[in-house]
Amino acid sequence: MKPLDIHSDMNLRKHFLTIFLLVTVCLIPGHGQVPHLKREMRAVWVATVGNIDWPSTPGLPVEQQKMELTDLLDQHVENGMNAIVFQIRPGCDAMYPSPIEPWAHWLTGTQGKAPDPFYDPLQMMVEECRKRNLELHAWFNPYRAVVNYAENPIDTTHVAAKHPEGILTYGSNRYLNPGLQEVRDYVSKVVADVVRRYDIAAVHMDDYFYPYKIKDQEFPDEATFRNYARGFQPDEKEDWRRNNVDLIILQLQDTIKAIKPWVQFGISPFGVWRNKSKDPMGSETASSQTNYDDLYADILLWLREGWIDYVEPQAYWHIGFEIADHKKIAEWWDTNSYDRVLYIGNGAHRLNRKSDTREWRSPKEIIRQIDMDRSLPNVSGNFYFNSKAFQRNPVNINRTMQKKIYPYPALIPVNPIMPEIRPEPPSDLVAQEKGKHILLTWNAGSVHTTRYFVVYSFGKRDFHD
């Protein structure tokens, strides 16, 4: 059974589709075969910080920005992707018109400066993704306030200028102070504004909670700990930090669901929760930094308590890597997902014919990873970092995606914990033979809730009563 993903024009009440008769075969996964998966997450990250993925450089003419955006979406559709993770808040700034935070300088070249002629990149992404049947996840960074503060001046409306008392400097960056309730309220307000105004499928946050540790530098929150310890003892500072992050995760989940219960809240943590050498529950890894001990993100607690709706660990290493083996990490999360939807993150950005690591010199590593990830019972798909990897097309990865990994379309997986919203069924279905084709006509039902239709074709041997 092969799905034909047919996009519907929401402005039309009648839909006229010509469907070619196809004889399809349901493949059993095996060597040289690709399963016809009805539902599978196939997402790609589009990073804006540092102009990693989009736009290619700050201050491009608006038409060029738009062209780059549609070009990259077209490439991902051609590769079989069905979801986009779009970074809309790189550092207390915005890739959309925000009433709370200034425009990001990654877009226009100057923080606080709007695009000219004006447009809304996030609304454009909503509309362009909808045209292509791509699910859109809005990606926020909760604490990062200023990237490379010595080189990137901030606008007078930036939170670091308006409320310096809530900012901590660590290394070359500045951060919102995670120990303050005012910070939690501020971040929740920013997220609430986007959830309320934009038609997104999910709010997404990555691995950047407390920053990755810098050797011989302590994160400067001692004064905050003394003033806002909330009952934690002097030797419990690390538990206090984890509790700070717990509190913002719980508050964000409550905020999102109060506005739109159907919008998901997902996290893509660093691939290693804890090393088994430090905790018997941990993975067989030897990572120098981990979520629990260094980023103060207790992902397993959030999964157990139901504070997040899906998890997507970043397993960006190759299979067999001694320190952090993609296979062992994926298997560990498969066992520890606590009935939450689980996706696996794959490091397409590592592909390079000149890589020091043999495994990344060809697309075979990605094929091996996807085959392995698909074999795990709780894995529902994959997220690829990053968009530019497919635009550069190292090792001819695009052909691999199209021919060997995603030759057939797939629907987004259903998240069983989310409220089910069923559109009205189409009615008045009429099938007419038109030579070698069949013309299907139907009434779309509710044009406000229906995003697209999926039409299946069957050969005689595929059809069963």
Side-chain angles (χ1 to χ4, degrees):
M1 186 170 63
K2 177 180 177 180
L4 300 177
D5 204 354
I6 307 298
H7 177 67
S8 64
D9 183 348
M10 295 296 107
N11 296 320
L12 299 178
R13 295 290 295 180
K14 292 286 185 177
H15 295 252
F16 303 93
L17 301 173
T18 301
I19 309 299
F20 290 91
L21 290 178
L22 298 175
V23 178
T24 62
V25 179
C26 292
L27 297 178
I28 299 173
H31 181 70
Q33 295 181 322
V34 180
H36 289 199
L37 299 172
K38 182 176 180 180
R39 293 186 181 273
E40 182 180 44
M41 177 62 81
R42 304 168 176 181
V44 63
W45 299 78
V46 178
T48 57
V49 64
N51 300 105
I52 291 175
D53 291 319
W54 181 87
S56 59
T57 191
L60 287 179
V62 163
E63 288 307 311
Q64 189 172 346
Q65 292 178 7
K66 292 181 177 180
M67 186 181 302
E68 287 187 354
L69 187 61
T70 55
D71 284 350
L72 71 85
L73 292 179
D74 288 341
Q75 180 65 67
H76 298 321
V77 170
E78 188 176 357
N79 285 358
M81 303 298 182
N82 57 19
I84 297 293
V85 186
F86 182 42
Q87 189 177 35
I88 66 170
R89 185 182 187 252
C92 291
D93 48 11
M95 303 295 288
Y96 61 95
S98 170
I100 305 168
E101 297 184 316
W103 284 96
H105 77 275
W106 311 112
L107 184 69
T108 62
T110 302
Q111 191 175 85
K113 180 182 177 183
D116 184 17
F118 180 85
Y119 80 112
D120 181 345
L122 178 52
Q123 184 58 35
M124 179 181 174
M125 184 66 96
V126 168
E127 294 169 0
E128 295 299 324
C129 284
R130 186 178 298 167
K131 291 177 186 177
R132 295 163 175 80
N133 294 335
L134 293 166
E135 188 170 87
L136 180 60
H137 296 214
W139 168 17
F140 298 78
N141 290 97
Y143 295 137
R144 189 169 61 201
V146 186
V147 178
N148 294 327
Y149 66 87
E151 299 177 9
N152 296 317
I154 58 173
D155 187 72
T156 56
T157 61
H158 192 279
V159 65
K162 294 168 66 177
H163 297 286
E165 71 281 2
I167 301 296
L168 298 175
T169 299
Y170 187 58
S172 61
N173 297 338
R174 287 182 171 143
Y175 300 88
L176 294 173
N177 188 340
L180 301 177
Q181 181 59 47
E182 294 89 339
V183 163
R184 293 188 280 275
D185 292 342
Y186 177 79
V187 174
S188 296
K189 183 180 178 181
V190 171
V191 171
D193 171 61
V194 171
V195 173
R196 190 173 289 114
R197 292 196 291 131
Y198 293 92
D199 185 14
I200 59 174
V203 167
H204 188 98
M205 291 184 177
D206 57 15
D207 50 326
Y208 287 101
F209 290 98
Y210 276 79
Y212 283 86
K213 288 182 178 178
I214 302 171
K215 186 178 180 180
D216 299 327
Q217 289 190 39
E218 177 71 10
F219 191 72
D221 59 353
E222 180 60 33
T224 310
F225 180 47
R226 289 197 305 269
N227 294 331
Y228 302 97
R230 299 191 307 276
F232 285 90
Q233 299 305 305
D235 61 345
E236 297 175 325
K237 187 175 182 180
E238 293 195 340
D239 292 328
W240 171 78
R241 286 174 173 168
R242 276 185 284 273
N243 185 246
N244 290 335
V245 185
D246 295 343
L247 291 173
I248 197 169
I249 292 296
L250 181 58
Q251 184 169 337
L252 287 170
Q253 175 71 299
D254 290 344
T255 297
I256 294 164
K257 303 309 179 186
I259 300 168
K260 293 178 180 176
W262 59 89
V263 172
Q264 299 179 75
F265 183 27
I267 303 290
S268 55
F270 180 70
V272 180
W273 175 70
R274 296 192 91 183
N275 295 314
K276 195 168 188 176
S277 60
K278 199 158 190 176
D279 188 322
M281 280 191 63
S283 54
E284 293 183 8
T285 50
S287 179
S288 60
Q289 300 208 44
T290 68
N291 284 290
Y292 186 92
D293 297 294
D294 301 285
L295 306 180
Y296 304 104
D298 190 356
I299 316 295
L300 293 195
L301 173 66
W302 310 344
L303 290 167
R304 285 196 302 267
E305 297 298 324
W307 295 347
I308 58 178
D309 301 315
Y310 71 79
V311 64
E312 181 264 309
Q314 300 174 30
Y316 293 163
W317 305 277
H318 63 268
I319 294 174
F321 182 47
E322 186 175 355
I323 294 174
D325 185 330
H326 178 96
K327 182 176 185 291
K328 290 181 179 179
I329 290 171
E331 289 173 341
W332 186 89
W333 285 99
D334 185 69
T335 304
N336 293 279
S337 57
Y338 291 91
D339 295 322
R340 271 356 198 198
V341 170
L342 169 65
Y343 308 118
I344 299 296
N346 305 81
H349 65 295
R350 294 188 182 275
L351 293 167
N352 186 338
R353 291 195 187 278
K354 298 180 180 180
S355 174
D356 292 337
T357 304
R358 174 178 53 82
E359 285 81 1
W360 295 112
R361 296 174 196 160
S362 84
K364 292 181 181 179
E365 177 63 23
I366 293 295
I367 296 173
R368 291 175 66 208
Q369 290 186 12
I370 300 306
D371 285 347
M372 194 279 301
D373 295 341
R374 281 172 170 164
S375 73
L376 299 175
N378 297 314
V379 174
S380 297
N382 301 82
F383 281 50
Y384 297 89
F385 189 84
N386 56 338
S387 181
K388 184 134 311 173
F390 301 101
Q391 294 165 266
R392 291 176 179 155
N393 196 26
V395 304
N396 207 6
I397 184 61
N398 291 334
R399 178 177 173 79
T400 298
M401 303 302 293
Q402 297 163 24
K403 300 296 183 182
K404 295 187 177 182
I405 297 179
Y406 300 141
Y408 310 113
L411 303 175
I412 295 289
V414 174
N415 191 328
I417 66 172
M418 301 302 294
E420 186 176 52
I421 302 175
R422 290 180 175 268
E424 296 176 16
S427 60
D428 305 322
L429 176 63
V430 177
Q432 296 175 292
E433 289 191 29
K434 297 288 185 180
K436 295 182 179 180
H437 304 157
I438 294 178
L439 177 68
L440 298 182
T441 307
W442 68 85
N443 189 301
S446 173
V447 297
H448 299 295
T449 57
T450 304
R451 283 286 180 259
Y452 55 89
F453 294 90
V454 180
V455 178
Y456 290 90
S457 67
F458 297 87
K460 290 182 180 180
R461 289 179 297 178
D462 298 324
F463 186 77
H464 302 281
D465 292 335

